[in-house]
Amino acid sequence: MWEHLATSNASNDSTKMAHACVTIRLRDIEKEIVNTVASLSLKVERLRHILATHPRLIVAYSGGVDSAFLAWTAHQVLGSQMLAVVADSPSLARTHLEEALSFARDHNIPIAVVETNELENPAYIRNDAMRCFHCKDELFTALERFRNERGFDAIAYGVNVDDQGDFRPGQQAAREHSILAPLLEAGLTKAEIRDLARQANLLVWDKPASACLSSRMEYGRAVTPEALSVIERGEDALRKMGFRQFRVRHHGEIVRIEIDRDELPRALTAEMASAFTAQFKALGFKFVTLDLEGFRSGSMNQLLTTTELLRARPELPTNGAPGVPARPPHL
């Protein structure tokens, strides 16, 4: 009997301790949530303060979630004293241009379009590891001319904290042109920007990331308008097939299709293989492949050497292929 009572008491004590531990953990979680919300609120206030100190601001705008949220916030703070500017060239898909313009119209954000001419630059066409630098250099040069013509004071772009851990030569160009980075300065991550966009009911909050069409070209293969058109038509076809997150990677005679791993099961069917083959051979590719690793942002960077990657490491703030010349022999 006494053994039974001792066992019962021990069991009750264990239950009470378990309940106490759960209660303490719930309180800790609540504190973490409160702290996270408070931290994010402080970052938003910091962002608004940064924008308020730069009246007459141009936002380099692509329609992606980062630049869209930056343009929307800048408009909230500065009103008509800001202007979102889209750079248009053959490396910008028509679908993305239309989406960018539509978002700006829906939110009454002042918008303008300027043409950029990176495809006239041999260093850009060469398509080495610094291609993105030459692209952004052309972009910011064009925006500086526009700023001076229209009487604006500063230019900002949508780089964020997470971008510091990736290979981004374009950030070097931004530093050389003294372009503002309000999202980065405010300490905002990609996930936080998406969360803030969602809270603001901005439809772009879960928009898939998408770099320019030239980023689909393997390094060392010349960038041409014809090749970019092939890539764009290929990605338009994948979009019509119902896929959401993907890339058409151009390797000359070979196309390497990347599709998000969550969508891969639908792509890995005989029926879809036939559809891919028909579509991409019609675009001029001789070999059609599906990458079994799925979509990876910046997967072409895996071909770069350590020296090339370190060359443009971002600094922390304080042959017979469709439309393409033959691959250079050194690659």
Side-chain angles (χ1 to χ4, degrees), residues 156-312:
Y157 80 130
V159 64
N160 65 59
V161 170
D162 292 330
D163 294 329
Q164 304 311 289
D166 199 0
F167 178 65
R168 305 279 178 136
Q171 293 186 37
Q172 180 181 333
R175 292 191 295 271
E176 292 184 7
H177 287 268
S178 299
I179 305 301
L180 303 176
L183 300 176
L184 176 59
E185 190 177 345
L188 287 164
T189 66
K190 185 78 168 187
E192 289 172 334
I193 293 165
R194 288 193 182 279
D195 188 34
L196 290 169
R198 180 186 58 78
Q199 292 178 34
N201 294 318
L202 305 181
L203 294 180
V204 296
W205 77 269
D206 64 342
K207 184 177 181 178
S210 184
C212 76
L213 293 173
S214 297
S215 68
R216 279 65 154 165
M217 300 283 298
E218 65 175 338
Y219 288 114
R221 188 172 296 279
V223 177
T224 67
E226 295 78 13
L228 298 179
S229 176
V230 166
I231 294 168
E232 181 174 8
R233 283 181 282 159
E235 294 198 345
D236 284 344
L238 292 178
R239 194 174 293 108
K240 289 177 182 177
M241 291 178 187
F243 294 104
R244 189 167 186 270
Q245 179 75 83
F246 50 78
R247 292 289 186 273
V248 169
R249 305 294 189 187
H250 198 312
H251 294 265
E253 295 179 338
I254 300 171
V255 61
R256 179 168 56 87
I257 303 167
E258 293 180 3
I259 292 177
D260 191 83
R261 291 186 68 86
D262 290 341
E263 300 180 272
L264 263 182
R266 194 166 73 85
L268 292 169
T269 65
E271 180 183 5
M272 197 58 71
S274 297
F276 290 154
T277 301
Q279 176 62 49
F280 286 95
K281 285 202 169 185
L283 291 174
F285 292 103
K286 291 186 178 179
F287 303 97
V288 181
T289 69
L290 179 65
D291 194 320
L292 297 183
E293 289 188 75
F295 164 75
R296 287 101 65 214
S297 180
S299 68
M300 287 295 194
N301 294 338
Q302 295 173 2
L303 303 175
L304 299 177
T305 65
T306 301
T307 300
E308 289 171 320
L309 289 169
L310 291 175
R311 183 180 175 189

